[in-house]
Amino acid sequence: MRLSDSLPWTKTPLIINAPMGGIAQADLAIAVSKAGGLGQIGVDDNLEGLKTQLAQVEKELGRHNGLLPIGVGFLSFIVDSSKAVEIVEKFKPAVVWVFAANALDDYAGWAEKVRKASPSSQVWIQVGNVEAAVRVAKEARPDVLCVQGADAGGHGFEKGAGIISLLPEVEDALAEEGHDIALVAAGGIADGRAGAAALNLGAQGVVLGTRFLSAPETNVHPRYRAAVLAAKDGGQSTIRAKLFDELRGPNRWPVAYDGRSIRMKSFEEHKAGVHIDEIRKRHTEAIKGEDAGFGVDGRTAMWAGSGVGLVRKEQPAAEIVEEFRRGIFDAMHTARTRL
Ligand SMILES: Cc1cc2nc3c(=O)[nH]c(=O)nc-3n(C[C@H](O)[C@H](O)[C@H](O)COP(=O)(O)O)c2cc1C
């Protein structure tokens, strides 16, 4: 069965917005699901806020076969799984996405609790290497593995590869172990050409984070969005580093993770050898300003993937979903003419 058939309001090719904590909220999830994609809400540590967001989704979209037609993404190292599944039990999102466990073993416990709370909800887990994909497939048996490549914006495995090699290797490794789990791809997918490539690699859907930062439904500061739209040449304008998680104090993220942000002053000063205490002090001052420290001449992290150079204009989420679907068909067609 095609993955989009198990999410009956969606159209193929399946376009999914990444559950970006605090950034992908109800407005974005509603717009994406209404346009035939899988809209998702990303949770940081604000579970009370999540309830309000989910009530808004229920009011605007209703339920499909008892499920809210969206996904909810939890960061498992921050959120208490028992509290999270209480919300899952009440609202029953069609997809529960889990990412960033302190240890790979933690995912099995999450999957079990989610399934008990809402047996019809699908469990999706995002991983960034072959070993993790195989372990998680075996222990947690998710419905979907989201294979996240190193080009991704935001957090991911510090040691990673791009999806062009990662996704097919994951597919082969899972087949070798006898697992039949749907895969979706994330990381640097910013237009239909990349989406078509991801489907060719074995993905049943594509996850977009950075591309949706251009949508007005996404909750980002205007200067952050402006920096995304202005950035070109993502291999130079963005960078992966642990520094971005150290700006507000000691890094809370599991040790295997770092994050990709647009380069800004804090990073340049770190590279120039400025001590972390001084960088933190300057950051603390900067975020008090009206611009909240955003901008390439600012000091606040601006998570974005290496596909940022392809994100050029502000665009409503529904338009992104529709343009992306068309772009994938067009790119597939063009590729065929080259054979
Ligand atoms: C601003 C931003 C915030 C993110 N926050 C989360 C998050 O809270 N939870 C999560 O599972 N993934 C998060 N991610 C990672 C995405 O799940 C996804 O892997 C990534 O956006 C895909 O790469 P792309 O940004 O190049 O499209 C975030 C990504 C971005 C860009």
Side-chain angles (χ1 to χ4, degrees):
M1 182 164 82
R2 285 188 309 187
L3 181 58
S4 59
D5 295 335
S6 68
L7 304 166
W9 72 92
T10 64
K11 298 178 187 163
T12 56
L14 180 59
I15 312 298
I16 303 148
N17 80 262
M20 300 177 277
I23 290 177
Q25 300 194 334
D27 287 347
L28 181 68
I30 290 167
V32 170
S33 283
K34 264 190 178 165
L38 171 63
Q40 300 204 86
I41 293 177
V43 192
D44 34 32
D45 48 6
N46 182 1
L47 290 180
E48 280 311 307
L50 174 64
K51 291 182 199 163
T52 314
Q53 305 276 325
L54 290 172
Q56 185 188 339
V57 173
E58 179 156 31
K59 196 164 155 229
E60 291 196 37
L61 298 182
R63 295 196 183 208
H64 286 236
N65 304 328
L67 300 175
L68 282 191
I70 62 151
V72 176
F74 293 103
L75 292 171
S76 58
F77 77 99
I78 305 185
V79 169
D80 175 343
S81 56
S82 303
K83 292 194 176 128
V85 296
E86 273 173 29
I87 299 175
V88 168
E89 186 166 15
K90 175 159 186 234
F91 287 97
K92 299 195 167 40
V95 167
V96 178
W97 162 302
V98 191
F99 178 55
N102 270 317
L104 291 177
D105 301 341
D106 298 349
Y107 290 116
W110 268 83
E112 197 186 327
K113 283 185 183 169
V114 168
R115 292 205 162 104
K116 212 166 143 211
S118 178
S120 303
S121 297
Q122 296 184 19
V123 176
W124 292 28
I125 297 173
Q126 179 166 248
V127 290
N129 65 33
V130 180
E131 186 192 353
V134 172
R135 276 267 307 274
V136 169
K138 189 167 158 213
E139 293 170 10
R141 304 204 162 268
D143 299 280
V144 172
L145 272 172
C146 175
V147 180
Q148 187 198 38
D151 290 312
H155 292 87
F157 284 3
E158 185 181 22
K159 292 185 191 131
I163 56 163
I164 191 119
S165 54
L166 179 60
L167 206 130
E169 194 178 343
V170 166
E171 189 180 42
D172 288 351
L174 293 177
E176 225 168 84
E177 301 272 327
H179 299 295
D180 182 19
I181 295 178
L183 304 178
V184 297
I189 304 171
D191 72 6
R193 292 168 294 183
L199 297 196
N200 274 310
L201 295 170
Q204 293 219 30
V206 290
V207 179
L208 319 178
T210 301
R211 177 70 193 261
F212 279 111
L213 296 176
S214 68
E217 294 92 339
T218 310
N219 184 33
V220 288
H221 191 284
R223 277 182 61 95
Y224 181 175
R225 179 169 298 124
V228 167
L229 299 182
K232 294 187 173 50
D233 201 359
Q236 298 204 71
S237 57
T238 72
I239 190 137
R240 301 194 73 97
K242 282 185 181 285
L243 170 78
F244 304 121
D245 292 313
E246 283 159 7
L247 297 174
R248 287 170 189 273
N251 188 349
R252 299 188 299 164
W253 278 77
V255 64
Y257 289 77
D258 65 2
R260 185 182 288 279
S261 161
I262 294 176
R263 293 173 70 141
M264 43 31 158
K265 253 190 182 164
S266 298
F267 181 78
E268 305 310 339
E269 289 171 356
H270 166 69
K271 238 185 115 200
V274 178
H275 193 274
I276 186 66
D277 292 344
E278 183 57 31
I279 290 176
R280 277 183 191 149
K281 215 167 92 192
R282 294 176 189 175
H283 177 264
T284 306
E285 278 311 303
I287 61 177
K288 288 180 192 156
E290 209 171 284
D291 62 6
F294 287 113
V296 286
D297 52 352
R299 300 180 186 279
T300 307
M302 293 175 288
W303 310 113
S306 65
V308 71
L310 294 161
V311 184
R312 298 179 182 126
K313 58 173 189 209
E314 187 167 318
Q315 205 177 9
E319 206 178 291
I320 294 174
V321 174
E322 277 148 27
E323 187 182 293
F324 225 91
R325 271 201 303 262
R326 253 194 339 268
I328 289 177
F329 278 113
D330 290 349
M332 292 270 190
H333 176 74
T334 306
R336 234 177 268 130
T337 65
R338 294 194 187 119
L339 293 174

